[in-house]
Amino acid sequence: MDQFKKLAPLIVAFVMGVFFGLQYYIPHPFTDDLLTGMSKWFIVIGGIAMGLGIVSLFYSHIYKIKRRAPAWGFSFVMFIALFTMLGVGIYCANAEVITETGKQTIYGWLYQSFMVPLQSTMFSILAFYVASAAFRAFRAKTKEATLLLIAAIIVMFARVPMGEAIYAQIPTFQVGGMTIPPTIGNITGWIMKTINMAAQGGISLGICLGVIAMSLKIIFGIEKSYMGSTK
Amino acid sequence: MSGFLKKMSDLDKRVIFVLISLAVIIPLLYPLFIEINVNPEVKAVYDTIENLPNGSTVFLAMDFDPSSKPELYPMAEAVLRHCFRKNHKVIGMTFWVTGVGLGEKALTDIAKEYNKEYGTDYLYLGWKAGGYALVIQMGEEGIAAAFPVDHYGRETASMPILQKITHLKNIDYLVELAAGASIGTWYYYGKMKYKFKMGGGCTGVMAASWYNLLKIDWINGFMGGLRGAAEYEKLIDKKSKATRGMDAQSVSHMLIIAMIILGNIAYFANRAKGNK
Amino acid sequence: MRNYPAMILLVILLFLFIPISLPAQESVSPTPIAIAETPSEFQAYDTPNDCLSNISISWKAMSPESESIQYVVSIDKSADGKFEQEADKFPSVYNWKSDKEWPFWVSGTKEGYHYVELNILQQFPPLTQAELNKKKAELQKVRSEIEKAKLDNKDYSEANTKKLVLMDDLKILENKISKEKAEIKAKTYYFKVTAVDKNNQVLFTSPVLSAQTQNNGFNQSLLINFLAMIFLCATVLWFISHAKKNKNLFLRRINGLDAVEEAVGRATEMGRSIFYMTGITDMSDIACICATVILGKISEKVAQYDSQIKVPHRDPIVMTVCQEIIKEAYIKAGRPDAYKSDSSFYVTGDQFAYTAAVNGMMMREKPAASFLMGSYAAEALLLAECGATTGAIQIAGSDSTDQLPFFITTCDYTLIGEEFYAASAYLSREPVLVGTLKAQDFGKLFVLAALVIGAVFSLAHMPWIIDIIKDFS
Amino acid sequence: MDSTILGGWIAAGLTLFMFSSLYKDNPFYRFGEHLYLGLSVGYIILKVIYANIIGGLYKPLFEDHQYMLLIPTILGLSLYTRFFPKIAWISRITFAFIVGYGSGLTIPRIIAGGIFQQIEKIITPLGKTGATWWEVFSGIVIIIGVASVLIYFFFSVEHKGIINKISRVGIYFVMIAFGASFGYTVMARMSLLIGRSYDLIEFATPKYYYATIVLLVLMVLILILYESMRKKEEGSEANA
């Protein structure tokens, strides 16, 4: 029995891996229906697995309330918010808007008034963090860091009207149909279309090989730590 | 001076946050109106509306919602100001249920500015489920058939604006402000069949892909992101939200560049002092 | 590195001159007619790379060709039939073989050849098709009745039974129709191509062609992709067996991974926790699997140093897998009792609510080290910058190329793309895993060679060579 | 106080709560964080019930008799064997099912979509008819960049001699590219903050009864009070 316990998942992973690896090359309609069928299956598995998440969340917060851990009051806030959203949602039958009239339901109002501002505010904090990260990280300590810093400054400078206006002051002259110095838009355009594409290309080619190697390790059961206990 | 440099190199990040918020809020309240040069694709939209004979009809599809309001709402206001100044009639509509309030606010605010009359000078159809089916219906059976009642529930068939402009083929120009992929719906089910001219505006992140739409002439011009809106505001020389937004972009970018340079000067100064 | 170049050249030559035999057909000599050069090389064969009921017909274009001269392709069930059924009619300037998205080893020479595809089932539709469509319409009507009844909550049980009966009828009909289709597909059909001028005067008739549809088991256009997969599998397996024999393979330093030991040690000294994030994707994504595998290696060190690891999650299944992995790591390190089951816990599925919660935890607990592994979206900078400001040593590893610039600027060490995938082999140093790194290197060498050779051919304006690495899916 | 005014006050309050985390962790941020956590989990549970369970499982299984859906149901339920150590190994079959599917599906698509398309995208512009010398030069620069980045990532080769020089070139390409894409996205991040600032300014107008200003002042006062109270507490603890 022990042998079966260890081998069963490996066999399942191997069979699934080989089958869905070869499915790509077989034009038979059956294999395509299987793909759409499989995505439906994962909707079901994902839905059922949600219970595990809820158990873990409730366990950690109820434990905090029972233990009167510091600031346990906030776990209460979390539960109240959770059950209000859930209750109102079920009351409005998961409809944010009444389809005929286009009128907003309470659930829709709750979503628009609470979730949208919270999400867009968290998103906009990125602007602050971009500035503090730039200030702290762009130090010309090494040759590479200097290149990073110069490229960032050029692109930032070129993207805004003030940058364009300042750059336009530099006199340009024609050399054989080419204006020297080229407009700042062309410079950043060239950096993004050539240097950036080359680096992204090189990195993603490497990633592809890494992904293939990792997938093969999983299918052939060489990498099986995702299954945890081998006892 | 060296005290200042010392403090500069490991500046408390909260000072940076305060500076960034000032760099954004001040230009929004007191704009600097920094010159912006206009790109040809934005000028094309402006010229189309400018060259339409006075009193023609522009259909404004505002397919966006609060998440992309900063970039697309100023475009709606700028296009509406331009249309009302040219006494064009405007019909507004949206595919995004979450953005129906924004469209209504833009239309009523700007209409009040040019004291236009609802029903004769402008009309807001609002939102209705149906997607491309609505476009087909507006083309085949007519706008009043697709939207028997407008956003406010008033009956549309009797409205003066829809007497002459009954079907999609009668409109002179369609402006599609898109946060998603609804331009495809307006092209395949609208422009391809009823041959009206089409232009529009999109978020900054989509701007690159909309250049191909220009090449395969789905659209004759478009505004890309906040910058596109600011360029249009310059064209109708009514600098408002987008231009202030671009000022804030300029100031905040220059602030970050300045801080990086100062940080490096401080770094090198301390290092020089360090190994002296 | 000595025997690599020879092997690569051999493999590339193999690819260039693969003796792929085109499907065998007989070609017939043309009958002379007034036109300067009559159409020739008529071929009719089953359309490759599909399991539909399609027959392809191709022939060399005649000259002159113009809008006014039309080709008519007619079909018949027997060789000496009257060929009245017109399958396709088009002006002779259209329908070229070069429009077809096929590599050269499937299409043969493309320039100057006409190409037409006929669907046998459309030419001779099965009889029960009409009945099937009627039944489907009926079922749709009953379904909408049930929906309406549900809305104004009237009783719809009677309509429901009607629906189930209809569904059973549909099943029977579907079996019947698929049998009929198989019969139709199994027969051989006969084709004739005639060139007619404006007033339907026949200028030229082709000899009778015949062909039969087959289900192609393999999509030939993807041949190179298939060979590449087999080649990479063989490389990986060969290097793994090779690695078992000689253990000490050289691996260059990746400073991000050397810092793991230091980070975990620091956490123990300061008595503070370690945060580990597995990214935005779920268990079916390789980046997430790789993140959980690295978690296994790192939690072994955490167990040895008796430190404390926290893994907040967005996906319940990834959370369960990580609980299993951490428990196993503690057992392997010989400290099963120190394992705390709540070290891997669920936070929320929403991207920014997760970020707000994790940032809050980091600000309050001020972790000594934080690991950001896997794929990330916009929240990468939020998590990394907040971790940086709480003073933690940050090691990131990701394959999201558009978030790597933010990891580079905010984290102490960043594993870029492939380094992230190599991390598990590096940390465990098991010969088998190190073997796969050698395979990846070999793969890179191969990609490099393909790139350079492709560039040379492309510069020399020989585009047909690019078919080899084109994606025809 | 119709719903838009109330909506304005809520939006302004929540925005200021979340921005307060920039100052430091404080009760307002903690409140906003837990509120957002609860709302988002409630929202997800709702979607799971209506889309996954009812839409994806109950309707097709019981109304349309798609009995094949019993298999994923069993696989999903098997995850709950985690709570019974003796039979916990069954859940690993579901892990293997998902992980195997992901690995198998990826390989051919990564070869086609990743490797082949990437190489094709790099080499086709070189052969474009009528390509100007500048385009060919840029094409060659791209090939040099990609080649040197690939060589930088070699694991089993010591970085010395010619290999070291090439990988240095590779790293320079990577650094310029990362610096450029960092600078490129600053504008997009800034426009998010500009959007929030517009809303905050709008909520500070008389129409919304100066919501932003009132809430900001209140928050600052409460924080000052909270800080001094905590200091007094620490002070008394220290000498107690």
Side-chain angles (χ1 to χ4, degrees):
Chain A
M1 181 53 188
D2 256 5
Q3 209 49 20
F4 175 74
K5 271 198 227 172
K6 250 166 59 124
L7 280 181
L10 289 180
I11 295 162
V12 166
F14 181 77
V15 167
M16 288 291 285
V18 168
F19 183 80
F20 279 97
L22 298 178
Q23 173 272 339
Y24 181 79
Y25 303 102
I26 300 163
H28 200 280
F30 165 74
T31 52
D32 305 334
D33 318 338
L34 201 72
L35 266 187
T36 44
M38 209 37 91
S39 59
K40 289 200 184 74
W41 283 23
F42 284 112
I43 289 173
V44 170
I45 296 177
I48 295 173
M50 191 59 204
L52 289 168
I54 295 163
V55 161
S56 162
L57 183 75
F58 277 50
Y59 173 78
S60 55
H61 280 272
I62 290 169
Y63 183 69
K64 213 186 274 180
I65 294 175
K66 245 212 308 283
R67 227 169 11 100
R68 289 291 185 278
W72 55 274
F74 291 104
S75 295
F76 253 121
V77 167
M78 197 276 288
F79 279 120
I80 295 161
L82 195 150
F83 290 115
T84 335
M85 182 62 118
L86 198 55
V88 166
I90 289 172
Y91 171 73
C92 303
N94 190 27
E96 291 175 33
V97 157
I98 304 159
T99 39
E100 292 74 25
T101 60
K103 285 281 168 302
Q104 197 181 42
T105 61
I106 310 159
Y107 170 59
W109 180 80
L110 196 63
Y111 184 82
Q112 284 298 329
S113 313
F114 284 85
M115 291 281 274
V116 170
L118 282 166
Q119 184 190 13
S120 46
T121 306
M122 275 312 290
F123 214 163
S124 62
I125 286 178
L126 274 174
F128 292 107
Y129 282 174
V130 149
S132 69
F135 177 75
R136 204 184 57 256
F138 286 152
R139 290 287 156 71
K141 296 194 186 82
T142 63
K143 270 212 249 29
E144 293 84 5
T146 322
L147 287 173
L148 189 83
L149 152 75
I150 292 167
I153 286 182
I154 292 173
V155 172
M156 268 195 269
F157 187 79
R159 289 271 288 165
V160 277
M162 189 189 274
E164 268 166 31
I166 294 170
Y167 187 85
Q169 314 304 335
I170 303 168
T172 59
F173 48 91
Q174 294 293 346
V175 169
M178 283 273 292
T179 53
I180 305 292
T183 67
I184 197 153
N186 294 359
I187 297 174
T188 46
W190 190 78
I191 293 177
M192 294 304 277
K193 282 204 207 65
T194 313
I195 310 270
N196 194 34
M197 188 175 141
Q200 301 275 8
I203 293 170
S204 59
L205 279 171
I207 288 171
C208 294
L209 289 163
V211 164
I212 292 172
M214 178 59 90
S215 307
L216 291 173
K217 278 189 272 186
I218 291 160
I219 292 174
F220 294 122
I222 297 157
E223 184 62 70
K224 43 185 180 297
S225 65
Y226 67 89
M227 287 196 306
S229 325
T230 47
K231 66 172 179 338
Chain B
M1 176 61 183
S2 71
F4 167 72
L5 283 183
K6 180 76 189 67
K7 216 156 34 49
M8 258 319 275
S9 70
D10 44 31
L11 197 64
D12 179 344
K13 63 178 173 57
R14 272 167 284 211
V15 172
I16 299 171
F17 296 153
V18 168
L19 288 175
I20 286 291
S21 13
L22 294 178
V24 167
I25 289 173
I26 293 172
L28 294 186
L29 297 173
Y30 313 101
L32 312 139
F33 300 132
I34 300 165
E35 261 318 294
I36 191 165
N37 49 30
V38 178
N39 286 311
E41 64 271 6
V42 177
K43 187 83 169 55
V45 178
Y46 175 81
D47 292 343
T48 319
I49 294 180
E50 188 63 23
N51 304 338
L52 284 177
N54 284 20
S56 33
T57 307
V58 172
F59 194 102
L60 185 58
M62 293 172 274
D63 301 330
F64 60 90
D65 71 353
S67 64
S68 40
K69 176 180 168 197
E71 291 177 295
L72 297 179
Y73 190 80
M75 286 184 201
E77 282 187 340
V79 167
L80 283 168
R81 283 199 176 97
H82 190 192
C83 291
F84 286 137
R85 186 186 303 161
K86 294 281 289 178
N87 287 328
H88 293 327
K89 301 195 171 357
V90 178
I91 302 173
M93 182 204 139
T94 178
F95 279 143
W96 289 46
V97 68
T98 46
V100 74
L102 284 179
E104 197 262 341
K105 184 173 179 314
L107 253 171
T108 33
D109 290 357
I110 309 299
K112 215 184 275 106
E113 218 177 280
Y114 291 81
N115 42 56
K116 291 287 175 181
E117 208 206 319
Y118 187 79
T120 37
D121 301 323
Y122 71 101
L123 167 68
Y124 187 55
L125 302 169
W127 171 88
K128 193 177 169 190
Y132 64 85
L134 282 175
V135 178
I136 297 170
Q137 209 178 0
M138 282 198 279
E140 298 302 317
E141 297 150 37
I143 296 171
F147 285 87
V149 282
D150 68 4
H151 175 65
Y152 308 99
R154 293 194 209 112
E155 200 247 342
T156 53
S158 63
M159 289 196 179
I161 193 170
L162 286 186
Q163 297 323 314
K164 203 154 51 61
I165 309 295
T166 52
H167 290 71
L168 272 187
K169 59 180 181 304
N170 313 120
I171 65 169
D172 301 303
Y173 193 45
L174 186 131
V175 178
E176 156 68 347
L177 302 180
S182 45
I183 185 88
T185 315
W186 284 111
Y187 176 74
Y188 287 117
Y189 301 98
K191 181 180 182 202
M192 215 151 84
K193 217 190 267 168
Y194 307 110
K195 302 287 182 274
F196 47 77
K197 283 205 291 284
M198 186 155 84
C202 64
T203 58
V205 73
M206 288 158 61
S209 61
W210 272 43
Y211 275 107
N212 326 16
L213 299 188
L214 209 54
K215 245 185 264 163
I216 52 175
D217 73 43
W218 280 24
I219 44 178
N220 65 359
F222 73 98
M223 300 168 271
L226 192 64
R227 190 193 164 88
E231 284 169 31
Y232 203 90
E233 280 179 1
K234 178 183 174 191
L235 285 169
I236 59 170
D237 81 48
K238 179 73 167 66
K239 296 208 168 85
S240 100
K241 281 206 172 86
T243 314
R244 296 163 185 237
M246 285 313 284
D247 289 345
Q249 289 277 16
S250 290
V251 172
S252 50
H253 277 66
M254 291 309 159
L255 175 69
I256 295 176
I257 292 172
M259 282 198 300
I260 294 174
I261 293 172
L262 270 175
N264 272 286
I265 293 169
Y267 169 71
F268 283 114
N270 296 341
R271 212 171 62 157
K273 195 152 55 58
N275 49 29
K276 219 198 333 320
Chain C
M1 277 284 279
R2 45 215 175 325
N3 56 10
Y4 283 164
M7 259 202 289
I8 291 176
L9 272 178
L10 170 82
V11 166
I12 288 172
L13 287 175
L14 175 83
F15 274 167
L16 288 185
F17 304 104
I18 295 159
I20 298 291
S21 66
L22 289 178
Q25 293 85 30
E26 71 306 317
S27 68
V28 174
S29 66
T31 51
I33 207 101
I35 306 159
E37 197 204 323
T38 59
S40 59
E41 290 175 43
F42 282 92
Q43 287 168 1
Y45 48 89
D46 164 58
T47 312
N49 309 340
D50 74 2
C51 287
L52 312 168
S53 55
N54 285 12
I55 297 281
S56 305
I57 300 171
S58 72
W59 62 90
K60 200 163 189 303
M62 68 183 172
S63 67
E65 280 194 342
S66 65
E67 286 284 342
S68 57
I69 301 175
Q70 301 234 315
Y71 280 116
V72 176
V73 181
S74 38
I75 183 171
D76 202 315
K77 288 191 174 159
S78 68
D80 38 29
K82 286 193 283 314
F83 286 96
E84 272 125 12
Q85 186 163 344
E86 213 180 79
D88 199 348
K89 182 169 186 180
F90 57 92
S92 55
V93 281
Y94 295 115
N95 288 359
W96 294 100
K97 201 169 189 180
S98 43
D99 312 337
K100 197 73 182 158
E101 270 291 314
W102 279 348
F104 62 85
W105 61 84
V106 173
S107 64
T109 47
K110 294 191 199 175
E111 291 322 317
Y113 278 76
H114 280 292
Y115 174 83
V116 163
E117 237 175 76
L118 305 174
N119 188 333
I120 297 299
L121 285 173
Q122 271 160 13
Q123 299 300 326
F124 304 103
L127 307 170
T128 49
Q129 185 69 44
E131 201 187 336
L132 183 78
N133 297 349
K134 194 159 61 56
K135 196 70 84 174
K136 272 196 181 138
E138 242 173 84
L139 178 65
Q140 199 49 36
K141 202 152 57 52
V142 169
R143 270 195 204 281
S144 45
E145 265 163 41
I146 293 174
E147 284 313 312
K148 219 183 279 86
K150 263 196 203 149
L151 273 178
D152 25 9
N153 41 52
K154 282 213 280 318
D155 160 46
Y156 58 89
S157 56
E158 176 255 325
N160 210 13
T161 42
K162 212 163 83 179
K163 183 186 85 171
L164 294 176
V165 162
L166 270 173
M167 282 172 73
D168 296 342
D169 296 350
L170 257 179
K171 274 205 186 56
I172 304 158
L173 268 176
E174 252 142 26
N175 294 349
K176 197 159 150 248
I177 206 164
S178 57
K179 266 201 233 62
E180 227 182 304
K181 278 185 181 171
E183 274 156 32
I184 295 171
K185 274 172 80 169
K187 291 206 204 71
T188 314
Y189 291 89
Y190 300 87
F191 307 89
K192 223 182 222 175
V193 179
T194 47
V196 288
D197 59 14
K198 280 196 293 306
N199 29 46
N200 269 346
Q201 260 297 328
V202 172
L203 301 169
F204 169 82
T205 9
S206 78
V208 173
L209 306 164
S210 74
Q212 185 189 348
T213 64
Q214 290 134 16
N215 281 346
N216 311 102
F218 178 70
N219 183 342
Q220 284 177 25
S221 303
L222 303 175
L223 179 66
I224 300 295
N225 186 318
F226 182 71
L227 286 177
M229 183 168 86
I230 300 297
F231 175 74
L232 287 172
C233 290
T235 322
V236 168
L237 293 177
W238 185 78
F239 273 105
I240 284 172
S241 60
H242 176 69
K244 281 200 182 108
K245 283 201 282 302
N246 40 29
K247 293 276 184 300
N248 40 38
L249 284 168
F250 171 81
L251 285 183
R252 72 169 166 91
R253 254 168 41 83
I254 297 184
N255 36 35
L257 296 172
D258 303 342
V260 165
E261 198 88 20
E262 172 205 343
V264 175
R266 182 168 179 264
T268 325
E269 281 153 35
M270 298 162 76
R272 292 225 216 105
S273 57
I274 294 168
F275 269 67
Y276 189 97
M277 269 74 82
T278 55
I280 192 174
T281 47
D282 62 21
M283 266 328 266
S284 62
D285 175 59
I286 304 301
C288 179
I289 300 168
C290 187
T292 56
V293 166
I294 298 170
L295 171 64
K297 306 290 187 294
I298 288 177
S299 16
E300 260 169 59
K301 292 200 167 48
V302 166
Q304 282 150 19
Y305 282 85
D306 194 12
S307 187
Q308 222 244 337
I309 191 163
K310 286 196 154 202
V311 190
H313 282 285
R314 291 187 224 213
D315 178 275
I317 299 174
V318 181
M319 170 194 85
T320 327
V321 168
C322 288
Q323 278 165 354
E324 185 95 8
I325 285 175
I326 297 170
K327 191 165 74 178
E328 174 61 16
Y330 271 83
I331 292 165
K332 215 183 263 179
R335 301 179 47 74
D337 48 0
Y339 165 67
K340 284 211 241 0
S341 66
D342 65 356
S343 49
S344 165
F345 54 97
Y346 181 76
V347 176
T348 173
D350 179 277
Q351 175 187 15
F352 285 108
Y354 172 85
T355 313
V358 171
N359 278 2
M361 286 180 221
M362 280 204 271
M363 280 192 269
R364 285 186 281 280
E365 289 171 34
K366 292 199 172 14
S370 107
F371 294 89
L372 294 132
M373 298 288 173
S375 298
Y376 285 87
E379 78 286 351
L381 179 60
L382 284 170
L383 291 166
E385 182 61 10
C386 181
T389 45
T390 59
I393 290 186
Q394 294 212 118
I395 300 174
S398 177
D399 64 346
S400 323
T401 45
D402 47 17
Q403 299 303 327
L404 281 171
F406 301 111
F407 283 135
I408 292 270
T409 45
T410 49
C411 298
D412 303 283
Y413 304 98
T414 307
L415 307 176
I416 303 173
E418 211 183 342
E419 290 171 342
F420 164 65
Y421 284 106
S424 66
Y426 258 80
L427 287 171
S428 65
R429 290 286 164 157
E430 284 158 29
V432 168
L433 294 176
V434 172
T436 50
L437 292 187
K438 292 291 278 180
Q440 278 178 250
D441 276 359
F442 187 74
K444 277 203 282 295
L445 206 62
F446 191 74
V447 164
L448 205 57
L451 202 66
V452 170
I453 291 168
V456 165
F457 273 97
S458 173
L459 274 170
H461 292 294
M462 289 171 66
W464 59 271
I465 181 85
I466 299 176
D467 276 1
I468 284 192
I469 47 104
K470 226 167 183 216
D471 166 29
F472 290 99
S473 51
Chain D
M1 196 65 131
D2 65 8
S3 72
T4 45
I5 305 288
L6 177 62
W9 274 74
I10 293 169
L14 293 178
T15 306
L16 292 174
F17 284 4
M18 298 313 265
F19 274 153
S20 69
S21 70
L22 294 170
Y23 165 59
K24 72 177 166 64
D25 177 44
N26 61 69
F28 290 114
Y29 174 71
R30 210 158 181 175
F31 174 80
E33 174 201 326
H34 283 81
L35 181 74
Y36 194 8
L37 193 55
L39 290 171
S40 69
V41 173
Y43 184 75
I44 286 165
I45 295 172
L46 208 61
K47 290 289 171 254
V48 161
I49 293 171
Y50 279 90
N52 299 52
I53 304 298
I54 297 177
L57 179 61
Y58 178 79
K59 271 213 178 82
L61 190 61
F62 293 102
E63 286 182 5
D64 290 352
H65 300 303
Q66 287 178 4
Y67 294 118
M68 283 295 278
L69 284 178
L70 282 176
I71 301 172
T73 320
I74 296 160
L75 284 172
L77 292 174
S78 75
L79 288 170
Y80 289 84
T81 59
R82 300 271 318 122
F83 298 112
F84 316 101
K86 268 203 312 309
I87 53 166
W89 65 273
I90 297 173
S91 61
R92 272 186 241 126
I93 295 195
T94 312
F95 300 156
F97 183 83
I98 297 170
V99 164
Y101 166 79
S103 322
L105 212 59
T106 311
I107 296 179
R109 284 164 183 76
I110 276 270
I111 293 176
I115 298 175
F116 281 6
Q117 263 178 18
Q118 198 81 323
I119 294 180
E120 190 199 341
K121 204 168 64 177
I122 290 167
I123 57 177
T124 23
L126 289 172
K128 197 150 60 70
T129 49
T132 65
W133 69 272
W134 177 251
E135 278 164 359
V136 172
F137 167 71
S138 305
I140 291 169
V141 164
I142 289 177
I143 296 235
I144 294 167
V146 172
S148 50
V149 166
L150 277 175
I151 286 172
Y152 168 78
F153 279 111
F154 266 75
F155 298 115
S156 55
V157 168
E158 181 69 39
H159 272 197
K160 56 183 185 336
I162 179 77
I163 298 291
N164 189 28
K165 286 201 184 48
I166 298 173
S167 27
R168 287 252 61 78
V169 169
I171 265 300
Y172 293 156
F173 264 91
V174 167
M175 283 304 156
I176 295 174
F178 281 173
S181 52
F182 186 100
Y184 200 82
T185 44
V186 167
M187 186 169 214
R189 309 292 192 222
M190 277 305 153
S191 53
L192 298 165
L193 181 58
I194 290 167
R196 283 322 298 152
S197 313
Y198 267 137
D199 287 357
L200 283 181
I201 292 169
E202 195 186 341
F203 297 142
T205 54
K207 179 166 176 264
Y208 286 91
Y209 309 107
Y210 311 100
T212 319
I213 301 159
V214 167
L215 288 167
L216 193 60
V217 166
L218 265 174
M219 267 175 67
V220 170
L221 288 178
I222 295 170
L223 272 180
I224 293 165
L225 207 67
Y226 170 74
E227 282 298 320
S228 58
M229 215 203 356
R230 223 156 54 86
K231 284 223 171 26
K232 229 190 317 49
E233 218 173 77
E234 265 152 27
S236 58
E237 245 163 48
N239 47 39

